Structures are given as structure tokens and as C-alpha cells.
Amino acid sequence: MASKLPRATRVKNKTPAPIQITAEQILREARERQEAEIRPPKQKITDQTEVDDYRLRKRKEFESLISRVGWNKSVWVKYAEWEESQKDLKRARSIWERALGIDALNRDHTIWLKYVHMEMKNKFVNHARNLWDRAVIRLPRVDQLWYKYIHMEEMIGNVAGARGIFERWMEWMPDQQGWFSYIKFELRYNEIERAREIFERFVQCHPKVSAWIRFAKFEMKNEEIGRARNCYERAVDKFADDDEEAEQLFVAFAEFEDKCRETDRARCIYKFALDHIPKGRAEDLYSKFLAFEKQYGDKEGIEDAIVGKRRFQYEDQVKENPRNYDTWFDYIRLEESVGNKERIREVYERAIANVPPAEEKRYWQRYIYLWINYALYEELDAQDMERTRHVYRECVKLIPHHKFSFAKIWLLAAQFEIRQLRLKEARLLLGEAIGRAPKDKIFKKYIEIELHFGNIDRCRKLYEKYLECSPENCYAWSKFAELEKSLYETERARAVFELAIDQPALDFPELLWKAYIDFEISEGEFEKTRALYERLLNRTKHVKVWLSYAKFEASAMSSDINQKKKCLQHTRDVFERAVSYLINSAPELKEERVILLEEWIYMENSFGELGDANIVRAKLPKKLKKRRQIETEDGPAAYEEYIDYLFPEQTTNNMKLLESAYKWKKQRVASKD
């Protein structure tokens, strides 16, 4: 049988104890009850025998530790320092040498430092010098050893020895701080020529801009302006083109010339630097140049510096996003305000080189204006017509016309040729545009140009080509007919309209029919206009067609009373036909019928005494306010009010229905009786 688990203890009395014990109290009691540390008693040594016993015991302890943890540096240091405290330097040296015999400790420079410190403290200079020599040979890359060695030789007055140590150190090509220490050492003893020679070796060892600047400042401090300028010029020859720190070099060079009161030299240096350093690395240079021009320059120089700073900002932006064409527009506008033709053309060429990534028109809509502005600049500002023609030609060549085109480019190029009195070239351009990209704007502008020159036959051919490319374009048909009408070619205009309305598909047929009808009315051909309305009604019976037909009949009225009556009768016939059609064929178009009746009443009133509005008022409906359910996704949710119309014939039909129901009910009651 498996053993049962012990039952969990249940605390029955959960009330707090009268005396509470805190954690701080527990810790304090534990600390109070702790036993005191047992320390060995202090021993007083009275004779040499006891000293020897004490030393023997300590040496055994240290040797025991070394045998167990000989890798531990602190054990060896304590052992050697104890022997030193016992004035037994021979034993102390032996311990240091034993420690250096361990490879890991031999590579630790702190062991060497403590060993040498012992020898120096006890004024064993030759011992210390030997140790320094061993240390720098073993660890030549530890600068602290060289510094300490040189310091010791300098403290005992051995300047030549310190110089020799520096020379040995320089053979290892240390970092810049080591060279600076050597230079400062020579300067402390006023050895200027020696310091200059060290600088020459230093810039060869560390060919950096900061090293050359330090060298130039050294010469400047010694009032050797020619030598300082020579340092800067040599540095410029080395780092002007390919060093990332070139900006720092040019700024220092310009500030040096500024201190020497050579403002023209400083300005030339700034401008040379701005032309050679990439704009992305010249931010500090621009700010320094701007401050310089504000201090020494005239108005033109200050403006040039400000433009340079703005140019730098634009360069950063176009470098970050070369297809941000708005930034290019701003950059070009800045250069145009300066007026440097070569720089303007350079920026334009860089801008148009950033072709959109895809052959979709939305990507090209801003880009194409770079070409347009470029061409306009060459024509209007630079007045270089050949370059303008070349820009237009290259732009037309670049656009993928098989996918999309830009009519404005073709038109601007053609208008440019016209301004140059090269009409033949303009026609060739527009003809090519029609062949490659037959767009409405091109046809319209080409026709307008030919019409301006009075070439009617060319206009007719262009309209024919226009309509071949776009036979559904009602605007083109209307303009073609309008051209013929303006030439008093009535039959031609009518023939154009007839061809137009016979097209199987039209984009705005109502505009075309209206233009045709207005044309016949303007010619006074009322019978032909009626025939047109009848043909239109065969195609569509829209209420607007009926209203237009009725208005036409009413407008044909003359001063003759008989003619007035005839016009009135024609107008009433049109309205009657319209109302009859809406009653029989389109009873659901109640609002259109109301509009028609209201217009009929207005017409009757406009005829004066001949008109009779009462015959129409009898046909007007009653307005009824009704409610209907609004259908939603979840089913009927609410009701809305709307206006309905009840016409007189509907009322009569309802009455007849009620009478029939009443008779049926009466007959049923009679049959039951």
C-alpha cells in the first residue's frame, strides 16, 4: 500500500501576534550573537634569533603560496616587497627575476614597472637602466615603459641618453602622442631645428591631415610664416582630391591666411576647396566661408556665399533622393538666379539624367517639365537656338510613345520652329506627332495654326485625319461643320453633320444633335429642323428632347395671327405627343411628366390671349406625401417620406374600381337573400 502524503498544516488562528518581529531586528540579533574574529597575538621580537625564525616562517609561507598559485602576480609582488622591507635587496631581486622567468608574468608590464621602481627607490640607477633596456626590448609596444625610461634619464640629467631612447622608440613608429612627446622634449631644451626634423619624420610616418596641420602650427608659433605656408601647400598637394579630411585641411589653411591678413589668399583657398570637395563633405567649409565673407566680403561675395550654402543643401537632398524632381526645380531656380550658364546647364543635365524607373505616365508627369524648362531656358535666357532644338529632339526621342506621350512637348517644339520662321519643320514635327501620338490637343493646335495661316484645304485634311483616328469625337465633328459653316459651305456642313449622326458610337451625341439643330435653325430651315427632331425622337424620347422640340415650335412664331395659331397648335401637338408617350409607354416617369406639364403651362401663358393654361391644369396631378421602408443589410429598419403624384386618369381608374367592387358586393348580398 502506497504511503500517504502528510496533511498540510492549517493555521487556525490568523490574528496578528501581540509582538511583531521585523527583518531588521532578526539581522541585528544575528550580528550581536556573532563570535569575534580570532586574530593572532602581536609578537615582540627581542633578539636576532627570533628575527631569523620570523623570516624563515614568512619565507615558508610565501614559498608555499608560490608553489600553489605561482601564476598569481600579487603573490610575487608581496613576496618581493616583503624582502625589500627586510632590506634584503639581493633576495628581492632574485624573487623578481624568478617572477619574470614565468612567461605570462614576463609579458605583464606592471611587473617590470614595480621591479624598476624598487631599484630606482634604492638609487640603483644602473640596475634600473638595465631593467628598462630589457623591458623595452621585451615589450616595445608598451608606451608607458618608454615614457618612464625617458623620464628617469631626464631626471638624472642624461639628456643625450633620453634623446637616444627616443630615437630607439621612433624606430618602432609609435602613435602620434609618442612623436609629440619627442618634439616637446626637444622644445624644452630649445632645440628648434631638431624639433623641425622630427616633424618632417613625423608627417612621413603619419601622413594625415592633422599631422600636417600640427606641423604648420608649430612653424606659425615660431613665426616662420613662409615655412608654415609651405607645410599647408605640401599637404594640399597630397590630400586635395582623395582624402576625407581635406575639408579640415582647407579650413585650417584659410584660417592661417586670414590670421596673416591675406584675405584674398583665404578667399581663393575657400573657392578652390568648394570646387574640389564633394558637397556632402563640405558643410563646415560652407559655414566658415559664409562667416569669412560676412566679415571681409562685399555684397556680391556675401550673396555668393549664401548661394553656396543653399547649393550644398540641395546637393544633399538630390543625393538622398535623385528622383525628387521638385528639389531639382528649386536647385535649378537657385542657379538661374546666379546666372552662371555652365553651372545651370550642368544642373539641368544632371536632373534630366534621372529618368523615371517605369514607363508609366504618372511617373513622368513631373519629370517632363525639367525638359520643358531646359528648352525654354536655352531659348529665352541663353538664346541658343541650336541647343534648344537639340533639347526638344532628345526629349521626343526619350519618351516611350508606344505607351504614352505628351502633347505639350510636340506643340512647344512646333511653336519654337514657327517662332524661328521654320514653318516646314513645324509641320513635319506636328505630322510626326499625329503619326506617333494622335492626341486631341495636337490636332486642335495644328488645325488652329493652319487656320491662322489661311490653309483651308490643310484644315479639311487634318479634320479628316482627326475623325479617322477618333470617329466618336463629337467635338471634332462639330468643329469641322462649324469650319464649313464659317466658309459659307452650307451643304458641306450639312453633309458633315449627317455623317456624324450616322456614326454607330459617339461620346456626346446630345451635343452633336444640338449643334446640328442649331445649325438648321440659324439657316432658317424650319422644316428640316422638324425632320431632325423627328429623327432624334426615333432614337430617344427623353423629356429634354420633347421640351426642346416644343420650344423650337414656339420660337417659330411670327407677327401674323394665323402663323401664331399655327405655331401654337404645333407646340400643343408636341406636348400632347409627349404626355401621351409618358402615359402609355413610361408611366413610372412621374416627375418628368410633371416637369413637362409645368413647361406646357408656361408656354400657354407666354402665348398671351391665344394660350389657354386651363387645358393643361386639368392634367396636373395631386401631390401625395407617402412613407416607404428603407431596406438595409439587416432587413427593414425605418421609414422615409417621399412625394408621389396622383394623376387624374389614375383617380378615374380608382373610382371605376370602387364602383365595380361595390356592385359585386351588392350582387353577392342579394344572392344570399
Side-chain angles (χ1 to χ4, degrees):
M1 185 176 179
S3 60
K4 293 183 179 180
L5 293 172
R7 184 179 295 177
T9 304
R10 294 179 63 188
V11 179
K12 295 182 179 180
N13 184 9
K14 296 182 180 180
T15 57
I19 299 173
Q20 297 293 316
I21 300 175
T22 62
E24 289 82 358
Q25 185 177 352
I26 293 170
L27 291 173
R28 188 172 59 253
E29 290 180 357
R31 192 163 49 250
E32 289 173 354
R33 294 177 183 179
Q34 215 170 22
E35 293 183 359
E37 182 181 358
I38 299 173
R39 296 181 180 178
K42 289 183 180 181
Q43 185 178 3
K44 292 184 179 180
I45 298 173
T46 57
D47 57 8
Q48 187 62 34
T49 306
E50 290 181 356
V51 171
D52 294 338
D53 290 341
Y54 166 71
R55 288 176 178 172
L56 180 63
R57 187 171 62 253
K58 289 292 289 184
R59 286 180 181 128
K60 284 183 179 180
E61 289 176 4
F62 279 119
E63 292 292 340
S64 176
L65 280 173
I66 287 171
S67 64
R68 285 188 287 114
V69 288
W71 47 267
N72 194 332
K73 176 178 66 175
S74 62
V75 174
W76 290 99
V77 172
K78 288 178 181 177
Y79 191 6
E81 288 177 348
W82 181 80
E83 290 290 359
E84 182 187 0
S85 67
Q86 299 301 311
K87 307 297 182 183
D88 195 344
L89 297 181
K90 186 176 179 181
R91 281 183 177 274
R93 288 192 188 100
S94 174
I95 293 163
W96 285 118
E97 292 294 339
R98 287 170 61 194
L100 292 174
I102 300 171
D103 190 54
L105 298 181
N106 189 276
R107 292 195 301 270
D108 188 348
H109 69 281
T110 57
I111 292 288
W112 291 97
L113 290 174
K114 290 182 181 295
Y115 188 5
V116 176
H117 179 69
M118 180 196 77
E119 298 289 3
M120 290 170 63
K121 186 169 65 173
N122 292 283
K123 300 181 180 180
F124 290 100
V125 176
N126 288 328
H127 280 279
R129 188 177 287 125
N130 291 334
L131 281 173
W132 284 126
D133 282 332
R134 290 169 59 194
V136 295
I137 291 171
R138 184 71 179 89
L139 302 171
R141 293 295 177 187
V142 180
D143 294 346
Q144 190 177 6
L145 296 175
W146 293 102
Y147 284 127
K148 292 279 189 181
Y149 190 6
I150 293 163
H151 179 67
M152 183 194 79
E153 294 292 356
E154 194 174 1
M155 289 295 291
I156 62 177
N158 188 7
V159 177
R163 186 175 289 117
I165 297 165
F166 266 122
E167 288 295 333
R168 288 170 59 191
W169 187 15
M170 294 306 112
E171 291 176 1
W172 289 95
M173 296 183 180
D175 59 6
Q176 293 189 13
Q177 195 58 45
W179 289 93
F180 294 151
S181 299
Y182 191 8
I183 292 165
K184 289 177 182 177
F185 166 78
E186 295 293 356
L187 291 176
R188 281 199 294 273
Y189 298 99
N190 202 24
E191 296 286 348
I192 305 298
E193 285 301 324
R194 284 182 179 274
R196 186 173 290 117
E197 291 174 3
I198 296 166
F199 259 120
E200 289 288 350
R201 292 162 59 193
F202 168 52
V203 294
Q204 297 301 322
C205 179
H206 294 279
K208 294 183 179 179
V209 168
S210 57
W212 284 97
I213 293 174
R214 194 75 177 256
F215 190 7
K217 287 182 177 178
F218 160 76
E219 297 291 2
M220 186 68 180
K221 188 175 181 181
N222 290 292
E223 299 181 354
E224 294 285 349
I225 295 175
R227 290 178 180 272
R229 184 175 290 119
N230 183 44
C231 288
Y232 280 119
E233 289 171 355
R234 289 164 62 192
V236 168
D237 291 339
K238 287 180 175 292
F239 306 110
D241 297 326
D242 57 351
D243 196 273
E244 294 184 356
E245 297 179 349
E247 179 192 11
Q248 181 185 355
L249 173 62
F250 282 114
V251 169
F253 195 3
E255 288 179 347
F256 160 75
E257 296 292 357
D258 185 15
K259 289 178 183 177
C260 296
R261 308 292 183 184
E262 295 285 351
T263 54
D264 291 336
R265 279 176 173 271
R267 184 176 289 107
C268 290
I269 292 166
Y270 276 124
K271 290 184 177 180
F272 178 83
L274 292 174
D275 291 337
H276 286 75
I277 296 178
K279 301 298 185 293
R281 298 206 301 259
E283 184 176 359
D284 186 46
L285 187 64
Y286 273 114
S287 59
K288 296 282 187 182
F289 182 39
L290 183 59
F292 173 80
E293 287 293 348
K294 286 181 179 178
Q295 185 175 1
Y296 300 107
D298 53 6
K299 182 180 179 182
E300 184 179 351
I302 294 171
E303 289 178 356
D304 186 41
I306 293 171
V307 167
K309 189 170 181 64
R310 289 177 61 193
R311 187 180 291 126
F312 166 75
Q313 293 169 353
Y314 286 132
E315 284 289 344
D316 268 356
Q317 293 177 21
V318 297
K319 184 178 179 181
E320 183 180 351
N321 184 6
R323 290 193 176 91
N324 185 354
Y325 301 120
D326 290 329
T327 304
W328 283 112
F329 285 126
D330 295 338
Y331 193 1
I332 291 165
R333 200 175 299 116
L334 172 68
E335 295 296 349
E336 287 179 348
S337 68
V338 176
N340 188 332
K341 286 185 181 180
E342 293 303 320
R343 190 180 284 275
I344 293 168
R345 284 172 177 157
E346 178 197 350
V347 177
Y348 266 121
E349 291 292 339
R350 288 172 58 199
I352 61 178
N354 296 293
V355 181
E359 292 183 351
E360 294 182 26
K361 192 167 185 177
R362 59 195 178 100
Y363 295 118
W364 289 65
Q365 284 175 338
R366 290 293 289 163
Y367 171 72
I368 205 67
Y369 279 100
L370 288 171
W371 286 95
I372 293 172
N373 290 355
Y374 191 8
L376 293 175
Y377 166 76
E378 291 292 353
E379 181 186 1
L380 301 177
D381 294 343
Q383 296 184 352
D384 191 336
M385 304 310 161
E386 283 303 318
R387 284 185 71 94
T388 306
R389 191 171 290 112
H390 176 73
V391 170
Y392 278 125
R393 192 180 302 120
E394 291 299 318
C395 180
V396 168
K397 194 185 298 183
L398 181 67
I399 297 170
H401 299 286
H402 61 284
K403 291 194 174 182
F404 59 86
S405 186
F406 292 94
K408 58 175 74 67
I409 286 293
W410 294 103
L411 295 176
L412 286 169
Q415 288 168 345
F416 164 73
E417 296 294 354
I418 291 171
R419 286 193 294 273
Q420 303 304 311
L421 305 179
R422 293 160 58 96
L423 186 58
K424 183 180 178 181
E425 284 75 7
R427 282 176 176 151
L428 288 173
L429 267 172
L430 291 171
E432 184 185 354
I434 289 172
R436 299 179 69 179
K439 299 172 78 72
D440 288 352
K441 288 181 180 178
I442 297 174
F443 277 111
K444 291 174 186 177
K445 196 66 181 178
Y446 196 0
I447 292 167
E448 180 186 334
I449 291 169
E450 295 295 354
L451 191 60
H452 179 75
F453 289 113
N455 296 320
I456 304 302
D457 290 336
R458 284 184 178 273
C459 292
R460 284 175 175 152
K461 288 179 182 178
L462 286 171
Y463 271 121
E464 289 170 6
K465 183 68 178 176
Y466 191 2
L467 293 169
E468 283 178 17
C469 297
S470 180
E472 75 284 351
N473 193 329
C474 291
Y475 173 85
W477 287 106
S478 302
K479 286 294 181 182
F480 192 7
E482 187 180 324
L483 172 67
E484 297 294 353
K485 179 187 174 185
S486 66
L487 300 170
Y488 300 102
E489 294 284 353
T490 307
E491 292 303 321
R492 277 180 173 271
R494 189 174 284 117
V496 171
F497 275 123
E498 286 295 333
L499 283 172
I501 62 177
D502 288 340
Q503 296 300 315
L506 295 169
D507 52 2
F508 295 105
E510 64 275 8
L511 298 179
L512 185 64
W513 280 96
K514 184 178 183 304
Y516 193 4
I517 290 167
D518 290 343
F519 164 73
E520 294 292 1
I521 293 172
S522 65
E523 294 295 324
E525 297 287 348
F526 295 121
E527 289 302 325
K528 289 184 178 180
T529 307
R530 283 193 191 93
L532 272 178
Y533 270 117
E534 292 298 333
R535 289 167 66 186
L536 181 56
L537 286 171
N538 289 334
R539 298 195 181 194
T540 177
K541 289 183 171 57
H542 197 277
V543 67
K544 289 185 178 180
V545 178
W546 291 108
L547 290 173
S548 178
Y549 193 5
K551 288 178 180 178
F552 158 70
E553 293 292 358
S555 65
M557 190 181 299
S558 65
S559 59
D560 185 17
I561 188 66
N562 294 325
Q563 187 67 26
K564 282 186 178 181
K565 289 181 179 180
K566 191 176 180 180
C567 288
L568 176 59
Q569 188 58 44
H570 279 305
T571 306
R572 284 175 178 168
D573 290 343
V574 173
F575 277 119
E576 288 289 351
R577 286 170 62 193
V579 171
S580 176
Y581 166 76
L582 290 173
I583 291 173
N584 297 322
S585 301
E588 70 279 0
L589 301 177
K590 294 182 179 182
E591 292 185 359
E592 286 78 356
R593 188 173 165 190
V594 171
I595 293 170
L596 194 68
L597 290 171
E598 290 176 351
E599 188 65 28
W600 191 358
I601 292 172
Y602 176 76
M603 287 284 185
E604 292 289 348
N605 291 330
S606 65
F607 279 107
E609 295 179 356
L610 294 176
D612 185 5
N614 292 324
I615 61 175
V616 187
R617 288 194 180 95
K619 301 176 184 291
L620 288 172
K622 292 182 180 179
K623 281 187 179 181
L624 301 176
K625 190 180 288 187
K626 293 186 177 181
R627 298 175 66 200
R628 60 186 171 198
Q629 274 189 340
I630 301 172
E631 294 293 333
T632 60
E633 295 179 357
D634 301 329
Y639 289 87
E640 68 171 356
E641 289 186 351
Y642 70 98
I643 301 297
D644 197 6
Y645 297 97
L646 184 65
F647 290 92
E649 68 273 8
Q650 291 178 320
T651 307
T652 305
N653 293 337
N654 291 341
M655 291 300 294
K656 288 180 180 179
L657 184 63
L658 289 172
E659 285 179 7
S660 300
Y662 179 71
K663 287 179 182 179
W664 175 80
K665 187 175 181 181
K666 192 174 181 181
Q667 288 174 2
R668 189 172 180 184
V669 170
S671 63
K672 285 184 179 180
D673 294 340

